Amino acid sequence: MQVQTIATSAFTDQKPGTSGLRKRVPVFQQAHYLENFVQSIFDTIAAPAGATLVVGGDGRYYNREAIQIILKMAAANGFGRVLVGQGGILSTPAASCVIRKYQTFGGIILSASHNPGGPEGDFGIKYNGNNGGPATETVTEAIFARSKQIDTYRIIEAADVALDTLGESQLGGMTVSIIDSVADYAELMESLFDFDAIQAMLAGGFRIKFDAMHAVTGPYAREILVNRLGAPADSVMNAVPLPDFGNGHPDPNLTYAHELVEIVYGDNAPDFGAASDGDGDRNMILGKGFFVTPSDSLALLAANATLAPGYRQGLAGIARSMPTSAAADRVAEALGIPCYETPTGWKFFGNLMDAGKVTLCGEESFGTGSNHVREKDGLWAVLFWLNVVAARKQSVEAIVREHWAKFGRNVYSRHDYEGLPTDAANGIMVLLKAGFATLSGKQFGSYTVKLADDFSYTDPVDGSVSTGQGVRILFEDGSRIVFRLSGTGTEGATLRIYLESFEPDVGKHHLDAQDALAELIGIALQLTELRQRTGREAPTVIT
Ligand code: G1P
Ligand code: ZN
């Protein structure tokens, strides 16, 4: 085996964000850019010689090239075996599943999630540890620190590995196993949910539509929904993964999944609609002409969890990210179990799940999951919902309305302002923080500020502290406005404004969220001086 040690110089911009290192494809294509980051991972994790690694990605442009580089570097760095998804494809939750099932040292996932792909689109890379979850902040900080010092990396000279044929081959002294991750993942789903009940419901004429958005979930959805559960083949749309996602924006929300939205709000609509994102960890749930907010979805799954065989024993606890609505907190209270509030990003849930403190967790950003893996999981959420609907024999809308009648409704919306000049966005955050001292007790229309702060979190398991996790304006009546800058974008800055109020009155549950939140939206614009500072009249995306 010819191990080469290549001289390189450090890049200064390899700081992982909310979910790994994300940059535009041309940035990753620069000489040594990917190699430097991969070597920084290997240097940081210090795997013992002969360790096993998992590698795969969401199939976006540059996936295959990156995998060949990573395999040759893994061989040069002493790994004994690498498990690779067939065709280089692994959805993020399937990668987590495979790391856990085969008890590997860790895994490298190549994805920029819901960001568009293609030669001018985005690419990304992140490291997951042996629990199957994203590396903790301590590890990602160490990788970043290493990336600023690195001066050599190790790679072997060898022919490319064939990624499409299942089976084993040798690369230097290392074994490469091309695996069928769809089978591993489908088996896990079958162990959690009542496939017989779902199959019977589908056979009885219940119609579903799942939009894979030309991204990674196509093969997984086909195998599970069509082959195993018997849904008609056209129940899965945009099922073939494409390197540029068919020029789409593979983000399952009302704006970007409009093709599906038109179907479920149209004539002859199916009973159930769902979509997943680029790497398969996000989900959007729709009933006939009805949208379930992700915050409500988490609360509803928690309230109905014991209907699914995998959760029949009940839940240890629930966790939600800070900007996610408090709907789940109400369910946790009723169940007498703890509810944890963490910073944005899945990496904060891992410790809680490993310590057995929580079973379900979720984020307002269309992410829901459980301790079956250590990533959020799009298809898992879809199957959970189908299990609940099959058991309750009610429509999605009826289930949600009953839930609101029992627990009250946490009216919720997020307004994103994308592609802002970085200075303007930072200026708004500085302005908000400057107001902390004087905001408390201040009256805005019918709302009085109770507390204004910058969210920080102390991990209850390892004691680590994460500061600067988002500005919160909490009002006396429990309403909230939260402001954060995105940590996943690659161009300019994205300001996210999260709005929430609580409505106990069933007579007002039919109101449109934007109308019900109008006064809070006005307060948010006033506090940020958003129009004056950015010239923007409206958000880019409303979810
Ligand atoms: C966004 C979401 C966050 C999610 C992350 C990865 O991060 O807001 O909840 O965990 O994508 O899917 P952000 O861009 O807000 O930093
Ligand atoms: Zn994703």
Side-chain angles (χ1 to χ4, degrees):
M1 176 172 69
Q2 247 324 338
V3 175
Q4 298 181 302
T5 301
I6 311 282
T8 185
S9 39
F11 292 88
T12 54
D13 66 344
Q14 299 197 321
K15 185 174 170 59
T18 312
S19 186
L21 181 68
R22 289 202 190 152
K23 299 282 175 195
R24 297 188 52 231
V25 167
V27 175
F28 271 104
Q29 286 170 325
Q30 294 173 84
H32 310 316
Y33 194 87
L34 175 70
E35 290 86 344
N36 276 17
F37 192 73
V38 171
Q39 190 64 53
S40 301
I41 293 176
F42 290 158
D43 290 350
T44 303
I45 63 175
T52 301
L53 191 69
V54 170
V55 177
D58 61 13
R60 67 179 57 229
Y61 188 86
Y62 201 54
N63 193 52
R64 283 174 174 266
E65 293 84 344
I67 288 176
Q68 298 294 350
I69 292 171
I70 293 167
L71 289 175
K72 290 170 194 171
M73 288 185 67
N77 279 273
F79 283 91
R81 176 184 292 270
V82 179
L83 310 180
V84 186
Q86 191 172 17
I89 299 235
L90 277 179
S91 77
T92 293
S96 188
C97 159
V98 168
I99 291 171
R100 294 169 68 79
K101 179 169 177 178
Y102 298 103
Q103 299 180 354
T104 71
F105 189 81
I108 291 180
I109 302 179
L110 303 169
S111 168
S113 188
H114 49 284
N115 295 5
E120 296 301 321
D122 284 350
F123 191 75
I125 173 168
K126 69 171 180 175
Y127 178 71
N128 282 27
N130 66 355
N131 70 347
T136 59
E137 278 220 314
T138 317
V139 174
T140 55
E141 285 297 329
I143 294 171
F144 178 47
R146 179 71 195 135
S147 77
K148 290 187 286 192
Q149 288 168 349
I150 195 159
D151 55 12
T152 56
Y153 63 83
R154 291 157 69 81
I155 190 162
I156 64 163
E157 216 171 23
D160 281 358
V161 176
L163 299 177
D164 297 297
T165 318
L166 294 176
E168 298 198 335
S169 61
Q170 293 299 311
L171 183 65
M174 185 180 87
T175 304
V176 178
S177 301
I178 306 295
I179 60 164
D180 178 2
S181 71
V182 175
D184 287 327
Y185 179 80
E187 187 184 291
L188 177 59
M189 293 301 112
E190 245 182 296
S191 75
L192 297 173
F193 301 116
D194 188 347
F195 271 38
D196 290 342
I198 301 172
Q199 199 171 29
M201 176 174 76
L202 295 174
F206 185 91
R207 287 166 53 227
I208 64 173
K209 197 68 143 182
F210 177 83
D211 189 352
M213 303 189 85
H214 286 305
V216 79
T217 47
Y220 297 88
R222 259 202 196 138
E223 172 60 21
I224 295 172
L225 299 175
V226 179
N227 298 347
R228 299 197 184 201
L229 290 168
D234 68 357
S235 304
V236 183
M237 60 193 269
N238 299 323
V240 179
L242 298 174
D244 63 354
F245 309 118
N247 262 325
H249 194 144
D251 200 0
N253 59 40
L254 296 174
T255 303
Y256 294 125
H258 57 89
E259 202 182 337
L260 173 72
V261 172
E262 277 150 34
I263 293 172
V264 301
Y265 281 86
D267 296 337
N268 194 26
D271 302 288
F272 181 89
S276 191
D277 71 329
D279 62 330
D281 58 358
R282 294 186 172 199
N283 75 90
M284 174 168 69
I285 303 292
L286 300 158
K288 200 186 282 244
F290 190 81
F291 166 67
V292 185
T293 70
S295 294
D296 279 344
S297 180
L298 173 64
L300 265 137
L301 293 182
N304 291 281
T306 53
L307 296 175
Y311 304 91
R312 204 138 273 164
Q313 314 306 326
L315 309 175
I318 308 172
R320 63 164 174 86
S321 67
M322 181 273 282
T324 304
S325 97
D329 303 38
R330 295 176 185 279
V331 175
E333 203 188 333
L335 294 174
I337 57 174
C339 186
Y340 297 85
E341 186 178 35
T342 62
T344 295
W346 211 259
K347 60 186 168 210
F348 295 99
F349 294 137
N351 276 351
L352 296 172
M353 290 193 280
D354 287 348
K357 289 179 181 298
V358 306
T359 311
L360 292 194
C361 40
E363 297 193 274
E364 50 62 45
S365 54
F366 298 82
T368 333
S370 87
N371 58 356
H372 68 291
V373 288
R374 292 293 182 275
E375 288 280 2
K376 53 188 177 243
D377 190 344
L379 267 170
W380 167 90
V382 172
L383 292 166
F384 207 149
W385 264 95
L386 288 173
N387 191 142
V388 170
V389 174
R392 291 188 49 159
K393 301 186 168 45
Q394 287 172 291
S395 71
V396 170
E397 178 169 355
I399 292 172
V400 175
R401 290 199 184 281
E402 241 182 55
H403 184 93
W404 288 344
K406 181 169 174 195
F407 292 95
R409 178 181 176 196
N410 287 72
V411 186
Y412 190 83
S413 184
R414 182 176 106 185
H415 289 198
D416 290 340
Y417 290 83
E418 295 178 351
L420 295 178
T422 312
D423 287 351
N426 288 337
I428 288 174
M429 296 309 282
V430 169
L431 172 73
L432 288 167
K433 290 176 198 169
F436 285 170
T438 53
L439 267 173
S440 140
K442 214 165 168 177
Q443 185 94 21
F444 291 90
S446 51
Y447 293 94
T448 310
V449 177
K450 184 175 166 198
L451 176 91
D453 71 357
D454 197 351
F455 182 64
S456 67
Y457 176 68
T458 304
D459 187 302
V461 180
D462 65 17
S464 60
V465 178
S466 304
T467 55
Q469 297 295 325
V471 166
R472 306 189 292 179
I473 314 282
L474 310 180
F475 297 96
E476 292 287 357
D477 72 343
S479 301
R480 304 189 303 167
I481 310 176
V482 173
F483 303 88
R484 274 185 72 247
L485 295 183
S486 160
T488 59
T490 56
E491 280 208 7
T494 294
L495 174 69
R496 305 201 194 283
I497 305 180
Y498 310 80
L499 305 134
E500 177 180 0
S501 70
F502 181 65
E503 182 52 80
D505 181 357
V506 181
K508 293 188 183 155
H509 286 173
H510 63 281
L511 286 180
D512 178 74
Q514 302 310 315
D515 296 335
L517 295 167
E519 193 178 348
L520 284 177
I521 294 169
I523 297 170
L525 293 177
Q526 183 186 337
L527 286 171
T528 50
E529 299 174 2
L530 200 129
R531 289 189 175 146
Q532 302 87 302
R533 286 171 176 260
T534 67
R536 296 286 180 88
E537 285 301 316
T540 323
V541 179
I542 294 181
T543 49

